Amino acid sequence: MNASTMTDCEIHELGIQALREKLGPDGAIRFLLQLEKREGDYSVDGDQWLNAPDVETIANQIREAREANRDNE
């Protein structure tokens, strides 16, 4: 089979078949669930999960550290 001449449906079916053969039915389902479109924006949500400071906070921390270093010299 040549993938360049196959329809999208044929490629999809062959891909599902390959997943089932290599991972078994449960593994294939688990893999496909990972590809599911999820709601939200990871870059925004991730900041909340990780409690990461924003760029302005980091910039202020750098300025403060530089000033502290100048004062200690």
Side-chain angles (χ1 to χ4, degrees), residues 60-72:
N60 288 334
Q61 290 172 342
I62 292 170
R63 284 188 206 100
E64 290 170 5
R66 286 180 179 167
E67 287 175 16
N69 283 338
R70 281 189 212 125
D71 293 342
N72 291 331

Side-chain angles (χ1 to χ4, degrees), residues 2-54:
N2 184 351
S4 63
T5 60
M6 295 170 65
T7 66
D8 288 346
C9 186
E10 290 171 327
I11 291 202
H12 180 82
E13 288 178 23
L14 192 60
I16 298 294
Q17 180 183 351
L19 285 171
R20 279 193 311 249
E21 289 173 5
K22 291 289 184 179
L23 300 174
D26 293 338
I29 290 170
R30 285 178 55 197
F31 176 79
L32 292 171
L33 287 173
Q34 293 176 20
L35 301 178
E36 211 176 76
K37 183 176 177 169
R38 298 188 176 144
E39 291 185 27
D41 181 343
Y42 178 78
S43 58
V44 173
D45 298 339
D47 285 344
Q48 294 173 356
W49 300 327
L50 301 172
N51 294 322
D54 60 10

